[in-house]
Amino acid sequence: MSSEAAPAAADAPDLHNPPPSLAALFVAFAKMSLSGFGGVLVFARRAIVEEHRWMMADEFNETFALCHFLPGPNIVNLSLVFGSRFRGIAGGLAAFAGLVGPPMLLVTALAAIYSHFGQVEALRRVLAGVSCAAVGLLVSAVFRMMWPLLKKRDVLGLLVMLTVFVAIGLLRLPLPAVLLIAVPVSLAATYAKLRWAK
């Protein structure tokens, strides 16, 4: 009987580490937010799944998928859902405070410095360089999101994307009005394409 139990134990996935304390949740999410230049998701997954082993990869993916259906930014939703899963409401608030608090203090301090020294030419040049980096990150994200459409040669998806860009970026139409039209059109077009494929 023991010889049968040993292989089963070997095939079982590693157990999670003990549930994190409130302080550990705050510190972990603070580290994610302060190191997540250009987005926190990559750092959140690395910390939760690989570094602390608080979740398996599949659990993380499922939790993050749930956060897409909740209102608000996905990574903020993840902090609340993840923290409350282990430590209840207090855990959700600790993770949320860690994610939002330190960057908010940092940005507030930078804003105060800028209000006093914003006209200094050297600082203006530094900020111009930072803005270039931000634009580069945005363009990179756009191309990463657009790549699946290009690989699939999804002409309809590219056309919808281009139309939304022109409406919001060039014509300066209000975002809610554009989305009220673009989302149903996109869903209907995708549905029709799937029906056509059958």
Side-chain angles (χ1 to χ4, degrees):
M1 183 158 177
S2 61
S3 62
E4 292 176 4
D11 293 339
D14 294 339
L15 296 175
H16 306 313
N17 281 342
S21 65
L22 295 178
L25 284 169
F26 178 86
V27 169
F29 276 86
K31 284 181 181 176
M32 294 174 206
S33 65
L34 291 173
S35 60
F37 184 75
V40 178
L41 177 61
V42 174
F43 298 93
R45 187 189 180 286
R46 183 180 301 155
I48 291 170
V49 175
E50 297 169 16
E51 184 181 337
H52 298 291
R53 300 181 64 81
W54 288 329
M55 277 184 169
M56 304 299 284
D58 289 343
E59 290 175 299
F60 180 86
N61 292 344
E62 290 165 7
T63 304
F64 191 66
L66 168 67
C67 294
H68 279 281
F69 291 96
L70 300 174
N74 296 329
I75 196 66
V76 172
N77 294 340
L78 177 68
S79 70
L80 290 165
V81 170
F82 177 82
S84 62
R85 177 175 178 173
F86 288 103
R87 293 290 174 185
I89 293 174
L93 292 175
F96 172 77
L99 182 73
V100 175
M104 185 176 67
L105 293 174
L106 182 62
V107 168
T108 303
L110 290 174
I113 292 169
Y114 182 76
S115 68
H116 283 78
F117 303 105
Q119 301 307 315
V120 175
E121 187 61 30
L123 180 60
R124 295 177 72 141
R125 289 180 183 166
V126 168
L127 291 176
V130 169
S131 65
C132 290
V135 170
L137 283 169
L138 179 61
V139 170
S140 168
V142 167
F143 275 107
R144 255 186 266 134
M145 295 171 70
M146 192 171 61
W147 184 245
L149 297 175
L150 293 171
K151 278 178 71 174
K152 293 178 187 174
R153 296 182 180 163
D154 187 353
V155 177
L156 187 60
L158 289 168
L159 185 63
V160 169
M161 183 189 69
L162 182 63
T163 304
V164 170
F165 171 76
V166 169
I168 296 171
L170 301 180
L171 301 178
R172 305 285 187 196
L173 298 176
L175 176 64
V178 172
L179 291 181
L180 275 173
I181 297 169
V183 169
V185 167
S186 179
L187 290 173
T190 303
Y191 178 75
K193 191 171 74 169
L194 290 173
R195 288 289 300 266
W196 181 266
K198 291 180 182 178

